[in-house]
Amino acid sequence: MPHFTVVPVKDRAESSYDSLEGINWVDYRDTGQDYPDHQDTVSSDGHGNHKEDSPFLNSADASSKKNDFYDRNLALFEEELDIRPKVSSLLSRLVNYTNITQGAKEHEEEESAEASRRKTPKSPNMGTLMGVYLPCLQNIFGVILFLRLTWIVGMAGIIQSLLIVLMCCSCTMLTAISMSAIATNGVVPAGGAYFMISRSLGPEFGGAVGLCFYLGTTFASAMYILGAIEIFLKYLVPQAAIFHATDPHGSDSAMLNNMRVYGSICLSLMAVVVFVGVKYVNKLASLFLACVIISIVSIYAGAIKSMTHPPEFPICMLGNRTLVRDRFDVCAKTVIKGNITVPSQLWDMFCLPGNMSSAQCDDYFIQNNVTEIQGIPGLSSGIIRENMWSDYMQKGEILEKAGLQSVDVHGALENFGMYVSADIATSFTLLVGIFFPSATGIMAGSNRSGDLRDAQKSIPVGTILAITTTSLVYFSSVFLFGACIEGVVLRDKFGDAVRNNLVVGTLSWPSPWVIVIGSFFSTVGAGLQSLTGAPRLLQAIAKDNIIPFLRVFGHGKTNGEPTWALLLTGLIAELGILIASLDMVAPILSMFFLMCYLFVNLACAVQTLLRTPNWRPRFKYYHWALSFLGMSMCLALMFISSWYYAIVAMGIAGMIYKYIEYQGAEKEWGDGIRGLSLSAARYALLRLEVGPPHTKNWRPQLLVLLKLDEDLHVKYPRLLTFASQLKAGKGLTIVGSVIQGNFLESYGEMQAAEQAIKNMMEIERVKGFCQVVVASKVREGIVHLIQSCGLGGMKHNTVVMGWPYGWRQSEDPRAWKTFINTVRCTTAAHLALMVPKNVSFYPSNHERFTEGNIDVWWIVHDGGMLMLLPFLLKQHKVWRKCRMRIFTVAQMDDNSIQMKKDLATFLYQLRIEAEVEVVEMHDSDISAYTYERTLMMEQRSQMLRQMRLSSAERQREAQLVKDRHSLVRMGSLYSDEEEEVVEAPPEKVQMTWTRERCEAERRNRNNAPENFRELMSLKPDQSNVRRMHTAVKLNEVIVNRSHDARLVLLNMPGPPRNTDGDENYMEFLEVLTEGLERVLLVRGGGREVITIYS
């Protein structure tokens, strides 16, 4: 009975699942081979990929793995289980996965290191209400509702205000639908909107829009701080102002300076709070939200109460002009004190004090009466009819009530400060830009997806409900403000007519202080939230490593707090503070948020139209048309609110996009733009299939055949340099190479060769594709490349290959046979061919020819290739200053003068500038040199043929045993010579000698002297002599005229039909190009490539 010994084998796949998004790296190769650096091909977290890969990382320990791998019931799949997990293992890792949310959740627990070690990770348990609905409400309701909505209603009227609210809320609702579709298409980790856009539209769009979203959030913090300071200085503690106006016209500048000082102080304090402990910001979030809700409820309560008991806020009017109420005590020209009529404080303001004479008073004051009207008439007063229509004003225009009588006379300029006037010029577009920030904040739910019990249900429901709620509040607020408050009070931005009360506070119940205090705390809280979220967003972008100069902002404190990002955020927010005007900052952040929402809609539309297999959102109520409508509305709102801000924002996003593209963000996130590119490419390729390109559109689409050395390095990079100079980034370039060997054994070498070629293409700035094939023979591999490279109509029409320099010295004929075979194949395939000779002397991309000639020797018509190539080369900076000269050859029976005229006319019609010369070649006798050269050529051919025959006979007898792991030869592609064959040394050969074999060997040795005598008496073939004569004569003429040319382009003769003369053909080409530094041999593809017609 046989005995078996079981030897334990250490598992190589310690953890092949270092990074998985689906399955990122699967080893389909033979597990018996060791690939120590396979990790290099894995796109892991270390290379900047986000943590969406992480659910699959934390696998069980090694012992449980072994049990998984060698499960008795899965013996058939033992080899598969080495590199793939069981379904049960995969599912358990998915269930245990929790992603990281944006904000401070992950940092709160790390404030105390010991506490974080003791804590066990909690499972997400937040529902729709607490996790999405209330955070969205808190982010959407903001400073604009309390400080500017009444003013917007007063300026735009109820109808246009409803239109503004409808436009903004419709835009955010459509965006929320698109966002819900994206957010429910898988898990959304840290980064919120940035993550969604970058993973849907790619790193370029993601980086551009992510930075726009970051700038929007940063400017939002500045806007909230300015709003809080405005409430503080105008309504809470007016006496805290540091700067005071010395004249009525300087009040605005004094107020702006106060805002700058207090805003900077407030920003510094908030930044310190965020730096010290973010957990306090999150704990106070519910308090800030309570302030917002209480304030809104008090507005509704006050509006309902105003139906029966409107609040007492009288407004003093002089004629139909509104007066600043806190400048005087009684709204009358005179007052009675002890039965004596004395001038009031108001009289003293408009007249010289102590004088009852009207001659010393302001004309407008004397001719108009002082009246008092109710500032809050109430819901049942019918004031809604007056507030229905717009009343836009210019800067400095005094607020007037249309229904009051007034004598229109000019008053004194020094009394201008007594009236309530407009501080800025208003228009519909300006109000749209100011209001839109109050509709933003819809991303709060998607940013917290990791805390939600069922994110894919809660995010759509909570976000859409929040937008619906806030939209209803805005619509009802516009209606209530217009129906309850007097028009001049609505247009009074800072409440000067109602004793410096917050206008919305005058309507609230039980007291205006409810709104003032509530709005102050809510704006402070919103500012803190923005100042907390913006640095983390910047940190998420920096950690993705798509924008190199932001890399420093990915670092922070030991617990992950983004310290450097917070510092940058504070500096950018300070720029917003220095603007100091809420009305100027609001349109800026509107631009950035609209840009972000635009790309969310674009991402959803692209994914929907492409129907990518991974696009399976649980939220089903979306459509690409809605996404496009939302995108169009975002774009329209950008230009409606401020066209110059829109151009600046788009310019910033465009520059970031081009920068990321220029830096080459090597990220593969399965984004929609890549899918869109594939669809566009497919569509274009199908269109190209209709027929061959018109002559006007013809340009060389190159297949560059390269050769690699033993270390898989490109031997002659100048061939790629020449291709880049010829193409200048236009059209198609395919760089191909052949590896000789077996595909199964040489797959790794093929990948390494591809990478080496791609690296060299990047260095030489060749934009194109790389194709490496493995073939048993180099010649067959080249034929495969010529036949199969390209796709559809996007195929090469020109082959570029090197010259086989060492063909004369090599005993192996494969060097030049491969070359000639390639020439024949390109001719058969109707492809053009270019052979740069002495390619090492060609200029690099950094050289410049300041003078010199590009000489074209046009001997036979090749479709115009010789005319077109110099023109294309001269587009490149290396050849731009070279002059073009065209030489053609005239025979004895040609009229050379007429030929020159015709050629000049032809070039003029081709719009090509070149000097024209006609070279006359007279018939002459064949020189002794030509005869001798031909003879030497044929003797050499005959000698090599005999050597190969005797060698072949000896080889037929020998059985060479080669090592099975012999070195693989690289194919002839780049350079110009065949690689030497590296073979294992043959083992000792045993030969079996027979009588016949001995006699044959003796005869061969006796025939050697006869073969030599035959060789010496050889007479050259006359056709070869004629060809050699042509080559010698042409070479003399070319060298004489073009010895100092920067480049010589020359018709390449075709190979002979009879393959016996192949070696002679190589000699003819050598003779033809002798003595020239740079030569480009050109063969046309059999079609016209240049035309005189437009």
Side-chain angles (χ1 to χ4, degrees), residues 192-233:
Y194 161 69
F195 182 89
M196 288 190 289
I197 294 168
S198 62
R199 269 53 177 183
S200 296
L201 294 178
E204 293 89 358
F205 277 112
V209 181
L211 278 183
C212 284
F213 192 46
Y214 162 73
L215 290 172
T217 310
T218 305
F219 276 104
S221 65
M223 184 189 75
Y224 289 129
I225 291 170
L226 289 173
I229 299 303
E230 184 177 309
I231 295 169
F232 178 76
L233 289 177

Side-chain angles (χ1 to χ4, degrees), residues 707-726:
K707 185 176 183 178
L708 307 177
D709 59 18
E710 295 88 345
D711 299 324
L712 301 180
H713 295 144
V714 177
K715 287 190 72 173
Y716 296 96
R718 285 295 163 86
L719 203 58
L720 285 175
T721 310
F722 171 71
S724 70
Q725 292 168 5
L726 183 66

Side-chain angles (χ1 to χ4, degrees), residues 479-535:
F479 176 78
L480 290 176
F481 293 158
C484 297
I485 305 175
E486 173 62 49
V488 288
V489 179
L490 287 174
R491 290 190 289 278
D492 181 8
K493 185 188 288 185
F494 301 113
D496 292 328
V498 286
R499 295 185 182 276
N500 279 347
N501 276 296
L502 185 61
V503 173
V504 69
T506 59
L507 183 62
S508 65
W509 180 87
S511 165
W513 288 102
V514 175
I515 292 281
V516 173
I517 295 171
S519 60
F520 177 76
F521 280 113
S522 71
T523 48
V524 169
L528 278 171
Q529 291 281 356
S530 298
L531 212 56
T532 304

Side-chain angles (χ1 to χ4, degrees), residues 970-1030:
M970 307 309 305
S972 106
L973 289 200
Y974 184 163
S975 124
D976 308 274
E977 49 191 325
E978 187 75 12
E979 193 75 36
E980 292 101 12
V981 183
V982 182
E983 295 177 348
E987 295 180 3
K988 188 176 179 181
V989 179
Q990 300 291 336
M991 299 185 67
T992 304
W993 290 93
T994 61
R995 185 187 300 273
E996 292 79 8
R997 183 69 209 148
C998 286
E999 290 175 359
E1001 186 68 19
R1002 194 177 294 114
R1003 279 197 305 273
N1004 282 340
R1005 287 176 184 168
N1006 293 334
N1007 287 340
E1010 290 180 19
N1011 291 340
F1012 180 73
R1013 285 193 295 272
E1014 183 184 330
L1015 201 63
M1016 296 308 293
S1017 62
L1018 187 71
K1019 289 187 178 181
D1021 183 79
Q1022 286 304 310
S1023 63
N1024 285 342
V1025 173
R1026 286 199 310 274
R1027 289 188 176 92
M1028 183 64 77
H1029 176 66
T1030 305

Side-chain angles (χ1 to χ4, degrees), residues 725-906:
Q725 292 168 5
L726 183 66
K727 299 295 290 181
K730 303 292 193 300
L732 174 71
T733 304
I734 303 172
V735 181
S737 188
V738 177
I739 293 176
Q740 188 170 0
N742 185 294
F743 178 74
L744 296 176
E745 297 172 359
S746 305
Y747 180 73
E749 284 82 355
M750 186 188 78
Q751 285 189 315
E754 276 193 6
Q755 193 56 49
I757 293 174
K758 285 177 181 175
N759 293 340
M760 187 53 66
M761 289 171 68
E762 191 173 341
I763 291 169
E764 296 295 339
R765 296 184 179 179
V766 176
K767 294 181 179 178
F769 308 99
C770 175
Q771 181 82 50
V772 178
V773 298
V774 179
S776 56
K777 293 181 181 177
V778 173
R779 193 182 304 179
E780 291 178 1
I782 293 175
V783 173
H784 292 161
L785 284 172
I786 291 173
Q787 289 184 86
S788 60
C789 276
L791 181 64
M794 200 67 176
K795 292 180 74 71
H796 57 277
N797 55 28
T798 305
V799 176
V800 180
M801 64 183 300
W803 175 261
Y805 294 111
W807 70 273
R808 278 177 173 160
Q809 291 76 28
S810 174
E811 292 184 8
D812 187 359
R814 282 178 291 185
W816 50 267
K817 283 193 173 180
T818 301
F819 174 83
I820 296 176
N821 186 67
T822 307
V823 175
R824 286 197 172 100
C825 288
T826 54
T827 305
H830 300 290
L831 301 176
L833 175 67
M834 287 188 282
V835 182
K837 197 161 180 276
N838 302 328
V839 75
S840 301
F841 296 109
Y842 276 57
S844 69
N845 284 326
H846 304 294
E847 295 180 44
R848 303 282 188 282
F849 287 143
T850 55
E851 58 181 359
N853 300 313
I854 299 176
D855 286 356
V856 176
W857 285 85
W858 191 23
I859 298 165
V860 293
H861 182 53
D862 57 355
M865 277 283 288
L866 285 172
M867 309 290 179
L868 186 62
L869 292 176
F871 172 77
L872 294 176
L873 277 176
K874 284 186 65 172
Q875 307 304 306
H876 197 273
K877 55 192 175 185
V878 172
W879 305 92
R880 188 165 293 148
K881 293 188 178 179
C882 292
R883 296 186 307 276
M884 183 175 164
R885 298 192 301 183
I886 295 183
F887 297 89
T888 189
V889 177
Q891 302 299 323
M892 283 296 293
D893 53 348
D894 293 330
N895 186 341
S896 57
I897 298 173
Q898 187 62 38
M899 275 181 70
K900 187 170 182 177
K901 286 182 182 178
D902 293 344
L903 183 55
T905 306
F906 180 57

